Amino acid sequence: MALSRITYQKVSLKYGIFVGIAHILFFLIMRLLNLQNRVELSFLSAIFLIIGITVAISQFKKAKGGDINYFQGLAIGATTGVVSSTILALFMVVYLTTLDTAYLVSLQSSSLFPVSLSVLSFFVLTIIYGTIPGFLIAFVAMQWFKREEHAIQERI
């Protein structure tokens, strides 16, 4: 791919889709193991976001010949978080309204969500809970990637 055709938006979209799919698969595995009511386990999916953002920043930096603007890295993290959490939020709306309507009641009884939780508020909260950590993860990752000599090794 030519250097001029690579944008942080394209990279963010690609890895945001991968992370969003990973979130959905993780939720479905939790469902199969009957662990979906253990809301605290869902925070383990942050690992997917950390890996996705780190790899996205690394790939963007590599594609740009080692040159990455600090704000581009932050934008990659925030955008990857928005894309992945929007994909998860859309899936959860379908899940809550068609597949398991009782799951919303169990979320309402959790201490992590308000009793008045609706499908719409859950949709918005899911996006917020993915976007803010995405930005923070990118902030931490850019402490490494902002320097020219720092990159992920090829041996991953």
Side-chain angles (χ1 to χ4, degrees), residues 29-148:
I29 290 169
M30 284 179 45
R31 174 78 171 109
L32 286 173
L33 298 174
N34 202 25
L35 296 172
Q36 76 277 8
N37 290 325
R38 305 260 329 229
V39 179
E40 48 284 345
L41 286 178
S42 66
F43 290 106
L44 288 175
S45 68
I47 294 167
F48 304 127
L49 192 59
I50 293 168
I51 292 170
I53 289 171
T54 305
V55 172
I57 292 171
S58 174
Q59 291 299 314
F60 182 78
K61 182 175 180 176
K62 183 178 169 185
K64 289 290 191 176
D67 183 36
I68 186 169
N69 179 302
Y70 191 80
F71 292 109
Q72 287 174 325
L74 293 179
I76 288 171
T79 308
T80 302
V82 168
V83 170
S84 65
S85 60
T86 301
I87 290 170
L88 177 63
L90 289 170
F91 168 78
M92 291 306 295
V93 166
V94 171
Y95 181 81
L96 291 172
T97 57
T98 60
L99 301 174
D100 189 359
T101 54
Y103 184 58
L104 185 62
V105 175
S106 69
L107 289 175
Q108 290 168 338
S109 66
S110 161
S111 62
L112 297 172
F113 295 100
V115 175
S116 61
L117 184 69
S118 67
V119 174
L120 178 61
S121 60
F122 185 73
F123 177 80
V124 172
L125 284 173
T126 301
I127 294 172
I128 291 170
Y129 287 170
T131 304
I132 294 171
F135 180 81
L136 295 174
I137 291 165
F139 176 77
V140 172
M142 282 308 295
Q143 302 310 309
W144 175 264
F145 287 109
K146 69 182 178 183
R147 299 186 52 197
E148 192 171 308

Side-chain angles (χ1 to χ4, degrees), residues 7-20:
T7 64
Y8 79 87
Q9 293 95 337
K10 289 178 184 177
V11 172
S12 300
L13 183 62
K14 175 183 175 182
Y15 286 96
I17 291 169
F18 289 155
V19 172

